[in-house]
Amino acid sequence: MRSGPSNVVFVTPGSRGRGRWRGRDALHKLAGRGGSAAPSELAEDLDLAPASVTGRLDALERRGLVRRTQSTTDRRRVVVELTETGHQTWQGAMDVLGHEEYRLLGVLDEGARGDGVARLCSTDQVRFERRAAAGRGAWERAALPDVPRLVLSEALRDVDLFTAVASIGADPQWRDRGEERAFDGYWESWSFGELTESARIRRETLARLLPRTRIADRVELTDRFLRVRGELRAYRIHLGSGNVLMEPEDAYLCIVADRGATGGPDKVFLPFEEDGGLLSVILSKAFLLAADTGITDRTITDQIRRGL
């Protein structure tokens, strides 16, 4: 994903209070169960403690969106039902989301969409908007201080996922997929460019770890790379992407991770530090390349020996 059109996060008048916003997910789950469910079922759907669900249902009940009744088959059992107002509120929210999704997807180039599904998405700004006239008017720009804290937090979490984790630059195999070459420049700048703040922290971590390893005499940290001296070549591993260049010509070395050992071939690469993330990937590549004469994988050795 790369920079382009804007994303919009929708803030309705009813979401201004934090409790009201948090109750929307309960309303949505209740509608998904046909408009009737036990509180315990909603707690399971929302992955929340029963006490947390009770608070959300209390807020929805005060607004007339749900009602609690006794089960007709078991008087000890409480059933939560959508009211007519609740169903109209939920339906209105779904209509708005559907309309805006269609509007946003409409800016995508038809050639890029093909069958209607975007292969790449892009953004360069995030705006918050609020509907005027008590939720029935046009969308208007919302000032940042007016955005509910929970909405702002969740929106920025999604932005971080979109820009940092889902970027094509974060995928070390992108270059070899045969995709449209128009994005190679972006992939190159992301893969071997200046370090982000998280990459700089990763560099500090490696500075503490590497002197304690058995390859300490074969590695050195530069501004953006971990340089590894093998028997056949020297290599530079970028600290932001984990991608590898071979000296002296800076040829790209593609090392494909063993997806079968980490959840199967369909597992998506996510460059988080935990659960065998990018720090682990960089260290693994460093150990592998420091002993490059012992590599038996032909897909790697053929690249290393090319031009020697």
Side-chain angles (χ1 to χ4, degrees), residues 4 41 46 63 78 91 99 105 110 112 123 145 147 155 168 181 186 189 205 233 252 263 266 279 296 299:
E41 293 172 328
L46 295 166
R63 297 177 62 202
V78 174
Q91 187 63 58
H99 170 76
L105 288 177
E110 288 294 335
T123 187
V147 179
I168 60 172
R181 312 309 294 184
Y186 172 79
S189 65
T205 303
R233 280 181 180 264
Y252 173 65
D266 295 329
L279 181 63
T296 57
T299 62

Side-chain angles (χ1 to χ4, degrees), residues 3-284:
S3 62
S6 61
N7 275 357
V8 179
V9 177
F10 302 100
V11 183
T12 63
S15 70
R16 189 179 184 89
R18 177 172 175 172
R20 289 183 178 183
W21 175 264
R22 293 177 64 187
R24 296 297 176 88
D25 52 0
L27 198 69
H28 184 63
K29 295 296 185 182
L30 186 58
R33 283 185 171 267
S36 176
S40 59
E41 293 172 328
L42 292 175
E44 182 179 352
D45 290 346
L46 295 166
D47 194 23
L48 291 173
S52 298
V53 173
T54 298
R56 298 188 183 198
L57 294 178
D58 288 344
L60 292 173
E61 192 169 29
R62 285 194 296 270
R63 297 177 62 202
L65 302 178
V66 303
R67 58 173 170 262
R68 292 181 173 98
T69 62
Q70 287 184 320
S71 171
T72 57
T73 58
D74 185 349
R75 296 185 64 83
R76 297 170 299 176
R77 185 170 181 264
V78 174
V79 176
V80 182
E81 298 176 342
L82 272 180
T83 64
E84 181 62 26
T85 301
H87 184 270
Q88 291 176 359
T89 299
W90 172 78
Q91 187 63 58
M94 293 300 100
D95 290 345
V96 168
L97 289 175
H99 170 76
E100 293 303 326
E101 180 178 295
Y102 180 82
R103 182 177 68 86
L104 291 174
L105 288 177
V107 305
L108 293 173
D109 177 71
E110 288 294 335
R113 282 195 288 167
D115 57 359
V117 178
R119 298 173 64 198
L120 294 175
C121 300
S122 57
T123 187
D124 66 358
Q125 60 178 284
V126 176
R127 300 198 315 267
F128 292 87
E129 296 185 352
R130 185 188 304 279
R131 294 199 78 165
R136 294 184 293 273
W139 288 100
E140 297 179 348
R141 184 76 61 88
L144 199 59
D146 295 334
V147 179
R149 286 180 295 175
L150 183 63
V151 178
L152 180 63
S153 172
E154 292 303 310
L156 293 182
R157 186 196 305 271
D158 288 341
V159 169
D160 179 66
L161 180 69
F162 182 85
T163 59
V165 178
S167 170
I168 60 172
D171 188 342
Q173 299 180 55
W174 170 263
R175 194 175 191 179
D176 292 334
R177 285 185 177 175
E179 302 282 356
E180 185 179 347
R181 312 309 294 184
F183 301 108
D184 278 0
Y186 172 79
W187 185 86
E188 290 278 357
S189 65
W190 199 99
S191 297
F192 303 111
E194 296 299 322
L195 298 185
T196 62
E197 184 60 32
S198 60
R200 286 193 285 270
I201 294 173
R202 189 177 301 122
R203 186 185 185 284
E204 294 173 2
T205 303
L206 286 167
R208 296 193 301 269
L209 288 175
L210 290 170
R212 308 176 190 177
T213 66
R214 67 173 183 268
I215 60 171
D217 61 335
R218 288 186 169 270
V219 296
E220 63 175 311
L221 284 168
T222 64
D223 55 344
R224 290 176 288 155
F225 294 89
L226 171 61
R227 186 176 185 273
V228 181
R229 180 170 52 83
E231 297 293 338
L232 300 174
R233 280 181 180 264
Y235 312 87
R236 293 191 298 151
I237 306 173
H238 191 260
L239 302 176
S241 64
N243 291 332
V244 183
L245 296 175
M246 297 184 291
E247 296 183 0
E249 69 273 22
D250 282 349
Y252 173 65
L253 173 61
C254 178
I255 300 178
V256 180
D258 183 4
R259 301 288 174 89
T262 57
D266 295 329
K267 181 177 176 62
V268 177
F269 175 83
L270 296 177
F272 297 125
E273 301 302 347
E274 63 269 19
D275 300 326
L278 194 51
L279 181 63
S280 175
V281 168
I282 291 173
L283 285 169
S284 297

